[in-house]
Amino acid sequence: MEDDMNTSLPSRLLKEVVLSKPKVISVVKGIGSFVTLSVAAEETDLFSNKPEQIWVYLCDWLIHYEGEVILTSNNIDDDLCIKALNRIKGSSIVCFSEHDKKITIKFNDGIIWTLIPNREIYEEDDDIFILYFQDKSTLSYSLEKGFYFEAQ
């Protein structure tokens, strides 16, 4: 029974995060494929512990818009990176999903961000995605653990 509770908690949290309508207020490109999104979310009756930041790292990624790839984690053109990542600013996250060990983040304006584990560079237990909440708890994803929650 405990395993059911542990696997359902991340799933419930992801749904609650989406219900809080997290809006991207800033996007910061770090070194390599690292990107930090700061988000502002509405408080809901079900969810008062609002998400604050999303870290995308230790993975490869693709950003799609209108069916076209507009940016990859391997792109080194700073101007293109800034332009494509700024397109996310002001968007709201409408869905998080996992399929075939890839994470997809969908935004209300049609942008789709796919996070792809890179087993040649990173370890199975490396997090490719971390969602930080107001109370400093986290919801993360790694190949080894899948989605998992850590309270602080």
Side-chain angles (χ1 to χ4, degrees):
M1 185 67 159
E2 187 176 333
D3 287 337
D4 290 341
M5 288 174 50
N6 288 338
T7 56
S8 65
L9 177 61
S11 187
R12 276 195 333 264
L13 280 173
L14 285 173
K15 288 178 185 173
E16 290 171 2
V17 165
V18 169
L19 288 174
S20 73
K21 301 176 185 167
K23 183 176 183 175
V24 178
I25 54 175
S26 73
V27 181
V28 177
K29 173 84 168 72
I31 296 171
S33 65
F34 293 21
V35 179
T36 301
L37 305 176
S38 293
V39 297
E42 297 175 6
E43 190 169 315
T44 67
D45 292 340
L46 298 172
F47 192 60
S48 61
N49 187 21
K50 298 186 285 188
E52 290 189 331
Q53 280 195 337
I54 299 170
W55 288 7
V56 172
Y57 73 134
L58 303 180
C59 66
D60 294 335
W61 46 259
L62 305 168
I63 297 177
H64 294 85
Y65 181 69
E66 295 182 348
E68 299 288 325
V69 174
I70 61 170
L71 188 65
T72 72
S73 55
N74 296 324
N75 195 298
I76 57 171
D77 182 336
D78 286 339
D79 291 336
L80 180 61
C81 287
I82 291 168
K83 183 179 176 184
L85 290 172
N86 277 339
R87 187 181 288 265
I88 295 171
K89 191 175 173 183
S91 299
S92 294
I93 296 169
V94 296
C95 180
F96 289 96
S97 61
E98 188 265 342
H99 181 71
D100 291 337
K101 303 294 184 184
K102 296 177 186 174
I103 301 299
T104 300
I105 305 170
K106 293 183 181 180
F107 298 86
N108 66 328
D109 62 356
I111 291 174
I112 299 172
W113 196 349
T114 305
L115 314 181
I116 307 160
N118 184 332
R119 292 182 175 122
E120 293 177 20
I121 300 173
Y122 304 114
E123 303 296 322
E124 297 276 320
D125 64 342
D126 286 335
D127 294 326
I128 67 172
F129 162 89
I130 301 176
L131 176 61
Y132 287 90
F133 292 96
Q134 197 170 27
D135 70 354
K136 306 305 177 212
S137 60
T138 60
L139 180 63
S140 305
Y141 180 88
S142 72
L143 287 175
E144 184 177 276
K145 297 178 186 177
F147 280 109
Y148 66 98
F149 177 76
E150 291 184 322
Q152 295 298 315

